[in-house]
Amino acid sequence: MQSTTHPPKALKGAILSITTYLVLSVLKVVFGYLYNSEAVLADGFNNTTDIIASIAVYIGIRIAALPRDAEHKYGHAKMETLAALVASLIMVAVGVFVLLNSIATLIGGEYVEPNPLAAVVAFVSALVMFGVYAYNSRLAKQTRSLALKAAAKDNLADAMISIGATLGVLFAYFKLPWMDTVLAVLIAGMIIRTAIQIFLDATHQLSDGFPPDLVDSYEETIQHFDAVKEVREIKGRHLGNHVMLDVTIAVEGSLTVEEAHDLCDDIERELDEHHAVDTVHIHIEPV
C-alpha cells in the first residue's frame, strides 16, 4: 500500500529549527559574554550544536523521501532514524563540554555576577522555543516523521533550558552568583538526558524494536473480521516514519483465492485507516 505521509512537508519544521537556532545561538553567546552569564552562555553553545543536529534532521528527511532504487528496495526511510541518532550524539558532545566547563568554574570558585538583562534574553528565547516546539510537534504528528519528533523533543528541552538560564541570572541578581553556574551544570545534565532518550529511541527502532501494545491493537483489529479464525503471528518494524507488518492468519480452507485476496485487501485497508500502517504483508494458512 502507498504511504499516506508527506516527508517533504516535514522539512518545514527542520528549516524553522535551523533558522531559529542560528539566530538564538548568536544572540545568547554574544549576550552571555557581554552580561557575564554562565547559564545563558551554556544555553547559547547548546543552540550552536542544535544547528548541526537540525541540519542532520533536514538531510535525513530529504534522503528518506527519495524513491526506491535498485539497491534500496525498501526505500530510504531509515535515514530519518539515522538522522535522529546523529543529532543525539552531537547533543551529548555539547552537554559534556558545558558540564566540564561549569564544574571547573564551581571548583575554581570564580563567580561573576551576570547582568539582569541576560534574564530577558533567556526568557524571550524560551518563549520562542516553546512556539517552535508546538509547531514541530504538531507537524511531526501530521507527517509521522520520527526525525522531526526528535527535533521537537530537542526544541522543548531547549525551551526548558532557557527557563533555567533565566532563573540562574535572577538568582545571581539576588546575590547568589554561584547559582548561575549551578544551573549551567543542570542545563548540561538536561542536554545529555534528552540526547540519551533520543539515542535510545533511535537505536531501538534501528534494531527493529517494536511496541507490544501496538501489536496487540493490530491483532484486535484483524480479529474483528469473521473470516479470520486465528491470528497466528504479527511482526512489526519501523522504516523511518513508516510501519511495516508481517501477519500470519488462519482461515477456512474452503476460501477461494479471490476471497482470500479480498480479505487481505480489507484487512490492509482497515489497518491503514485506523492505525496508519503503511505496508502489510499477509500470509494465509488453513485452519
Side-chain angles (χ1 to χ4, degrees):
M1 298 182 66
Q2 295 295 321
S3 170
T4 57
T5 61
H6 305 283
K9 185 178 180 181
L11 291 176
K12 295 180 180 179
I15 293 172
L16 176 62
S17 290
I18 293 170
T19 305
T20 304
Y21 283 135
L22 185 60
V23 174
L24 292 182
S25 63
V26 171
L27 288 177
K28 282 188 271 194
V29 169
V30 170
F31 285 107
Y33 273 119
L34 291 178
Y35 296 153
N36 300 313
S37 173
E38 289 276 352
V40 173
L41 192 57
D43 194 7
F45 281 129
N46 172 47
N47 288 160
T48 59
T49 57
D50 288 325
I51 297 172
I52 302 173
S54 296
I55 291 174
V57 169
Y58 176 87
I59 294 173
I61 294 174
R62 290 280 297 186
I63 296 177
L66 294 176
R68 301 173 184 177
D69 56 40
E71 294 184 350
H72 301 86
K73 295 296 185 180
Y74 289 98
H76 303 77
K78 279 197 173 183
M79 284 302 300
E80 278 207 42
T81 313
L82 286 172
L85 184 65
V86 171
S88 70
L89 295 176
I90 294 172
M91 290 172 63
V92 167
V94 170
V96 170
F97 172 77
V98 173
L99 180 63
L100 293 177
N101 280 353
S102 300
I103 290 177
T105 301
L106 283 175
I107 294 174
E110 297 178 359
Y111 307 112
V112 179
E113 184 175 327
N115 190 306
L117 289 177
V120 177
V121 176
F123 184 69
V124 171
S125 174
L127 294 180
V128 172
M129 289 315 306
F130 274 124
V132 175
Y133 160 73
Y135 178 84
N136 280 343
S137 182
R138 183 172 62 253
L139 190 59
K141 290 180 181 179
Q142 292 175 357
T143 61
R144 305 205 304 275
S145 171
L146 299 178
L148 191 58
K149 182 179 178 181
K153 286 184 178 181
D154 188 26
N155 298 150
L156 179 59
D158 289 326
M160 298 305 296
I161 287 169
S162 292
I163 291 293
T166 303
L167 294 175
V169 176
L170 294 178
F171 275 121
Y173 181 71
F174 289 104
K175 307 306 178 183
L176 295 171
W178 53 272
M179 280 297 296
D180 185 51
T181 306
V182 169
L183 283 170
V185 172
L186 296 178
I187 287 172
M190 290 181 65
I191 296 171
I192 295 171
R193 180 176 178 274
T194 302
I196 291 175
Q197 288 178 337
I198 295 173
F199 177 83
L200 292 176
D201 287 343
T203 53
H204 183 256
Q205 292 196 12
L206 288 173
S207 61
D208 287 337
F210 201 81
D213 58 320
L214 287 182
V215 173
D216 292 339
S217 66
Y218 301 151
E219 182 174 352
E220 183 178 348
T221 296
I222 296 172
Q223 286 177 334
H224 284 162
F225 289 86
D226 294 334
V228 176
K229 303 305 178 183
E230 182 185 352
V231 179
R232 292 185 171 172
E233 185 179 35
I234 298 181
K235 293 185 291 186
R237 64 189 302 202
H238 282 103
L239 290 176
N241 60 340
H242 306 285
V243 172
M244 177 178 289
L245 293 183
D246 290 309
V247 181
T248 300
I249 60 174
V251 301
E252 292 290 348
S254 59
L255 281 183
T256 65
V257 173
E258 184 176 358
E259 289 171 336
H261 179 269
D262 290 342
L263 173 62
C264 290
D265 282 347
D266 291 340
I267 292 174
E268 290 172 1
R269 190 177 303 108
E270 191 77 6
L271 289 170
D272 185 38
E273 291 178 357
H274 290 83
H275 301 284
V277 175
D278 296 303
T279 307
V280 185
H281 296 150
I282 303 178
H283 174 68
I284 290 182
E285 296 179 349
V287 174

